[in-house]
Amino acid sequence: MATTQNTKRKRLIEKSLPPKIETYIPESRLFAQLQALERKLDAKVVRKRLEVQEALGKPVYKKRILRIFVSNLAANQGAAGANEDSDGGFAVRTEAAAPSWTLRVEGRLVDPPGTTWKTRPASHKFSEFLNSMTVEMDRSTELFGDNTVQWRRAAAEADVDGFEIKRRGDEDVRTRIILDIRTATDRFKVNHPLMRELLDIRGPVTKAAFIMKLWQYIKLNGLQDAEDPDQIRCDAGLMQVFNTPVVSFTAIPQILHAFMTRPDPLVIEYTVRVHEGDFHMAQYAFDVEVEVEDFSRQGAGPLAALQTRSRELAQVEAQLAQQMQEIHNARAKREFLRSFADDPVAFIHRWIDNQTKDLEVILGDRRHGLEAALAAIMAADERGQAGDADAAKWLKESALYDEPWADEAVFHYLSAKTQERMQQLLQQQQQQLQQQQQQQAQPQQQMHHAAGM
């Protein structure tokens, strides 16, 4: 409760000009027009601010380049006679000495141009950008069994910088690496060639972007029906795609589902070479465009600018309130002096009368209306100065309320009634005290009487 009482109330800002101010300040019409424009602008600012706050609540992504490297290691790849010992016999090769190779698939983000060690973005693991990876090896299934290795993202699995696949063998192996790139937003491939050509779609797009491109094509070619905007009149190209001359605009999102499929995975052909040294790397690296969450743009920038603008607007509002108060004070002062200049005597009388009434209201001595009239009549009756006929006459006359003795009579009458009431209350209180004392004294007298007997 104390916190509520001690809270400082914000002063209301007066933004309206005094009435009839245009007579003295013709330029005030421009201010009224500015106020109307300000109200429209405030409505748009509030709507845009809500949109910005909603956008800031969503994650922000930026595009980066993911560079993928493929290489292999070779171990224990001896010459053709490595299986023979020095005596011409055959030596038993241990498990650790068996020829083997290791396929390595790694990836890292390419730093943007102009990046220094201070401005370098946060690092990301290679597996963060993959949904799955499949490696198919072209070799005999009778000798080596299953030649397919598959990895899929798991919820609780930690991300890694690369993958390694180790297998036995002393021959070169052709492999096929299939990577399903993970995207932050769901992207689809438009599977209709004519649709891609009409809408100029070069790669995977989101569903919202697909619908927007189609809407831009409809607006550009004027395919929307003038009488019924919900109907789209297909041209020759769209008629070949949709197989119908008219399409409902509300049905377009559902129709486009048939033209969207999962994007094609990234396929890398690589040959594991074991006779060119212990390490071999592919001749080329593979760059893939991925989406990375940008934490530096969330919450900052637009929001900070809005807060700065809000402080500036608050200062302008305070200055405007001060100017408005000065205008109101100047108008009141002008009216005061103008009234005095027109008729000084009447002005002084009105001023004294108003001050007297205000003082009486503050002190609680003033009564208004019928109550004052009745009090005056009753006071006159008590003094014997008027009869019933005069009282009825006074009630009908409006001049009664303006008599100079009316207020004084009411004051004396109410004061007398107040004193009379106070005396009655005091007498009642004294009587109650006497009754209580008598009631308390009776049991004591009875006890003394019983003790004397």
Side-chain angles (χ1 to χ4, degrees), residues 375-392:
I377 294 171
M378 294 177 65
D381 288 341
E382 291 180 359
R383 291 195 298 268
Q385 295 180 359
D388 296 335
D390 295 336

Side-chain angles (χ1 to χ4, degrees), residues 26 56 166 179 248 388:
L56 290 177
K166 186 175 182 180
L179 300 176
S248 176
D388 296 335

Side-chain angles (χ1 to χ4, degrees), residues 44-59:
K44 292 185 178 181
V45 167
V46 170
R47 185 172 65 253
K48 290 297 182 182
R49 183 174 296 176
L50 293 176
E51 294 177 0
V52 169
Q53 290 177 353
E54 182 180 0
L56 290 177
K58 298 179 181 179

Side-chain angles (χ1 to χ4, degrees), residues 112-347:
T115 303
T116 62
W117 66 273
K118 291 184 179 181
T119 61
R120 177 170 294 175
S123 60
H124 294 269
K125 301 291 185 180
F126 174 53
S127 62
E128 292 183 31
F129 307 101
L130 299 179
N131 288 322
S132 64
M133 184 181 73
T134 303
V135 179
E136 298 175 352
M137 294 167 282
D138 185 13
R139 58 181 185 170
S140 174
T141 56
E142 297 178 356
L143 296 177
F144 299 101
D146 189 10
N147 290 323
T148 302
V149 179
Q150 190 174 28
W151 171 86
R152 290 186 179 277
R153 168 172 293 279
E157 186 177 3
D159 293 311
V160 294
D161 289 325
F163 300 90
E164 292 185 352
I165 300 174
K166 186 175 182 180
R167 292 292 185 269
R168 297 180 185 177
D170 55 0
E171 296 180 353
D172 295 347
V173 179
R174 295 176 58 186
T175 62
R176 189 166 180 261
I177 305 170
I178 304 173
L179 300 176
D180 183 9
I181 304 299
R182 183 185 182 189
T183 57
T185 55
D186 293 334
R187 294 180 177 271
F188 303 92
K189 175 186 174 183
V190 180
N191 54 20
H192 200 290
L194 182 56
M195 178 69 82
R196 292 198 300 267
E197 183 179 355
L198 290 175
L199 305 184
D200 193 22
I201 298 177
R202 303 296 182 183
V205 294
T206 62
K207 184 178 180 180
F210 190 14
I211 297 175
M212 181 57 66
K213 283 183 174 292
L214 179 58
W215 171 245
Q216 292 175 353
Y217 179 84
I218 292 171
K219 295 292 288 183
L220 181 63
N221 294 276
L223 304 180
Q224 194 173 16
D225 196 330
E227 297 180 356
D228 187 2
D230 186 58
Q231 300 297 322
I232 306 301
R233 303 290 178 181
C234 298
D235 58 359
L238 289 182
M239 193 176 298
Q240 294 182 17
V241 174
F242 295 137
N243 296 322
T244 179
V246 180
V247 178
S248 176
F249 185 77
T250 56
I252 284 180
Q254 185 177 1
I255 295 174
L256 294 183
H257 274 293
F259 300 93
M260 295 186 297
T261 57
R262 293 288 303 172
D264 296 333
L266 175 64
V267 180
I268 300 175
E269 302 284 350
Y270 177 75
T271 301
V272 176
R273 302 189 183 278
V274 297
H275 301 299
E276 297 182 3
D278 295 337
F279 177 77
H280 178 265
M281 177 174 282
Q283 185 179 1
Y284 302 102
F286 304 88
D287 288 348
V288 182
E289 191 177 66
V290 295
E291 295 177 341
V292 181
E293 189 170 357
D294 189 3
F295 296 98
S296 62
R297 294 176 56 186
Q298 294 183 4
L303 186 59
L306 284 176
Q307 293 176 352
T308 304
R309 290 297 181 184
S310 298
R311 289 193 293 267
E312 294 178 359
L313 289 176
Q315 295 176 358
V316 173
E317 294 266 347
Q319 296 177 1
L320 179 61
Q322 184 178 0
Q323 296 294 331
M324 283 293 176
Q325 187 63 37
E326 292 179 358
I327 291 175
H328 280 274
N329 294 339
R331 179 180 177 276
K333 183 177 179 180
R334 182 184 182 281
E335 294 293 336
F336 183 86
L337 297 176
R338 182 65 179 270
S339 178
F340 178 76
D342 292 340
D343 192 352
V345 177
F347 174 81

